[in-house]
Amino acid sequence: MDSLTLFCTASLLAGGLYWFVCILGSAEQKGKRAVQLSGGSISAEKVQDEYKQYWSFFRRPKEIESAEKVPAFVDTFYNLVTDIYEWGWGQSFHFSPSIPGKSHRDATRLHEEMAVDLLNVKPGNKILDAGCGVGGPMRAIASHSGANVVGITINEYQVNRARMHNKKANLDTLCEVVCGNFLEMPFADNTFDGAYSIEATCHAPKLEEVYAEIYRVLKPGSMYVSYEWVTTEFFKADDSTHVEIIQGIERGDALPGLRNYDEIAKIARKVGFEVVKEKDLAKPPAKPWWVRLKMGRIAYWRNHILVMVLTLLGIAPKGVVDVHEMLFKTADYLTRGGETGIFTPMHMILCRKPESSSKKTTSA
């Protein structure tokens, strides 16, 4: 091979790698690039071991049932997946119904704005985002409503990412992020004018505990809206295929156990809320929320090859390939859950804390 051919070949390879990493490999909202993939707060040399420990958690059912171990388990999960989520999905770690003529990003924003519209808050009000992730919904909601949003997440790495994004978006005066467990929040009683959680409380081992905490920190008369992950009326516990799909979703998304749709309102009332409205936002005429997952299959294989290359080069830590593969398999279970109708990630419940409230106690 002569020098000119060698130079041209090398240039093509270099240009192709740049295009692969910097163009195709960037997140929707440019928050994270492939060359920046990490294990969150987990040191690079421990990512693979932490992944193995996470996966082994599901082989010990008694530990899943042990509520005190779940927060650490969820924290590990988000250390492992946050960079991959942000790189491949964007800054809002949730689903939304597909809207004809709208991009996924626009559909996501409208889904988030609808949540805060239900709260009837005014500019300057203080609202809670329970389980805020890296703050994609928080920023959309603060921009749309003018409210001051306080987000809480158990994962310190996500806190740092959210604060960085808030500052970059010039929304750090409206958006505040706290590191903490939404089962034991560091806020006084009757603090907030409204609250929401978007596909976050599914990580709580007992839903009544997180609902009771949100009830406690809300001012009397204030509203709370949640988008819940649940099994639907079509789920059959004696159908092995249904069980396989739901267990696949639970394993791949750090869920101690999915609840059925008919439990949510009962739990809300149990802690003292008035249930104003309940609706599965995934049902027709809403367009399928899982289309985005199916359309992402080609992107997955492109990204998976890229992750493998970056791992071999020592740029991405060992274990990232395993996490990426786990998330792809989980996407398949989520898609099957949506197509069969046995699972929805957007069972919406709108609640009100009574004007004169005496907190009810919950049983474990």
Side-chain angles (χ1 to χ4, degrees):
M1 185 180 292
D2 58 46
S3 58
L4 179 60
T5 302
L6 184 63
F7 174 78
C8 290
T9 302
S11 298
L12 284 171
L13 287 172
L17 184 60
Y18 175 82
W19 177 78
F20 205 62
V21 173
C22 297
I23 307 300
L24 283 179
S26 60
E28 283 189 25
Q29 300 181 2
K30 310 296 182 184
K32 176 68 68 171
R33 295 188 180 277
V35 293
Q36 299 171 317
L37 294 179
S38 72
S41 299
I42 301 170
S43 59
E45 66 274 10
K46 293 183 178 179
V47 171
Q48 194 164 49
D49 288 340
E50 289 290 330
Y51 168 76
K52 290 177 180 177
Q53 288 179 28
Y54 167 82
W55 203 245
S56 69
F57 191 87
F58 287 97
R59 291 195 287 270
R60 301 192 296 271
K62 289 183 179 179
E63 291 199 14
I64 297 175
E65 296 170 5
S66 180
E68 68 273 9
K69 295 189 178 181
V70 171
F73 164 68
V74 173
D75 183 39
T76 296
F77 173 76
Y78 278 110
N79 274 322
L80 293 171
V81 305
T82 290
D83 277 357
I84 294 176
Y85 276 3
E86 198 174 334
W87 169 50
W89 192 262
Q91 295 170 22
S92 295
F93 298 174
H94 63 82
F95 297 104
S96 61
S98 178
I99 302 176
K102 297 285 187 182
S103 67
H104 295 308
R105 184 174 177 178
D106 285 341
T108 296
R109 176 181 52 78
L110 290 170
H111 192 57
E112 294 164 350
E113 290 176 355
M114 183 183 71
V116 72
D117 287 344
L118 290 168
L119 300 180
N120 297 321
V121 294
K122 301 179 179 66
N125 282 167
K126 187 174 183 179
I127 59 176
L128 171 70
D129 181 334
C132 65
V134 298
M138 171 192 298
R139 288 181 286 280
I141 283 170
S143 297
H144 176 68
S145 67
N148 293 284
V149 186
V150 179
I152 186 168
T153 172
I154 201 168
N155 184 261
E156 186 176 359
Y157 182 70
Q158 289 188 336
V159 171
N160 294 331
R161 294 293 299 169
R163 288 173 178 167
M164 182 273 293
H165 286 307
N166 291 345
K167 187 173 183 179
K168 191 174 180 180
N170 295 317
L171 288 168
D172 48 330
T173 56
L174 286 179
C175 299
E176 179 186 348
V177 191
V178 174
C179 188
N181 185 347
F182 60 21
L183 300 176
E184 299 175 300
M185 291 189 283
F187 309 123
D189 295 357
N190 308 322
T191 295
F192 295 98
D193 300 294
Y196 66 88
S197 51
I198 299 179
E199 302 182 29
T201 55
C202 51
H203 292 299
K206 294 180 180 178
L207 189 62
E208 56 263 41
E209 292 183 353
V210 63
Y211 275 15
E213 265 295 89
I214 291 169
Y215 183 95
R216 178 183 68 80
V217 301
L218 274 178
K219 294 177 181 177
S222 297
M223 307 288 281
Y224 166 58
V225 64
S226 183
Y227 297 165
E228 294 287 346
W229 282 32
V230 296
T231 55
T232 72
E233 68 270 27
F234 301 110
F235 172 71
K236 306 299 181 188
D238 57 354
D239 186 317
S240 60
T241 300
H242 287 191
V243 172
E244 178 197 354
I245 291 170
I246 296 306
Q247 288 182 345
I249 293 171
E250 291 169 347
R251 285 195 302 269
D253 285 296
L255 307 179
L258 278 170
R259 286 165 275 271
N260 194 255
Y261 78 101
D262 61 3
E263 298 177 58
I264 307 303
K266 294 176 185 175
I267 292 170
R269 292 189 180 100
K270 182 180 179 181
V271 304
F273 279 120
E274 299 170 350
V275 176
V276 177
K277 188 176 181 180
E278 191 176 23
K279 181 181 179 181
D280 182 357
L281 300 177
K283 286 188 174 180
K287 301 299 181 183
W289 55 268
W290 61 89
V291 170
R292 187 178 177 189
L293 292 171
K294 296 184 75 170
M295 291 175 64
R297 289 178 182 273
I298 294 175
Y300 163 77
W301 287 112
R302 175 199 73 205
N303 291 351
H304 198 61
I305 293 169
L306 179 55
V307 170
M308 291 174 68
V309 171
L310 293 173
T311 301
L312 286 171
L313 294 175
I315 297 172
K318 291 180 180 179
V320 171
V321 172
D322 296 322
V323 177
H324 193 258
E325 184 176 3
M326 175 191 75
L327 294 179
F328 177 67
K329 291 178 179 177
T330 306
D332 184 60
Y333 284 120
L334 287 163
T335 300
R336 291 167 64 190
E339 289 177 333
T340 57
I342 65 172
F343 164 77
T344 176
M346 53 189 78
H347 181 90
M348 184 275 288
I349 184 166
L350 177 65
C351 305
R352 179 188 292 112
K353 181 174 179 177
E355 287 285 356
S356 56
S357 60
S358 57
K359 183 176 176 182
K360 296 184 180 182
T361 57
T362 61
S363 57

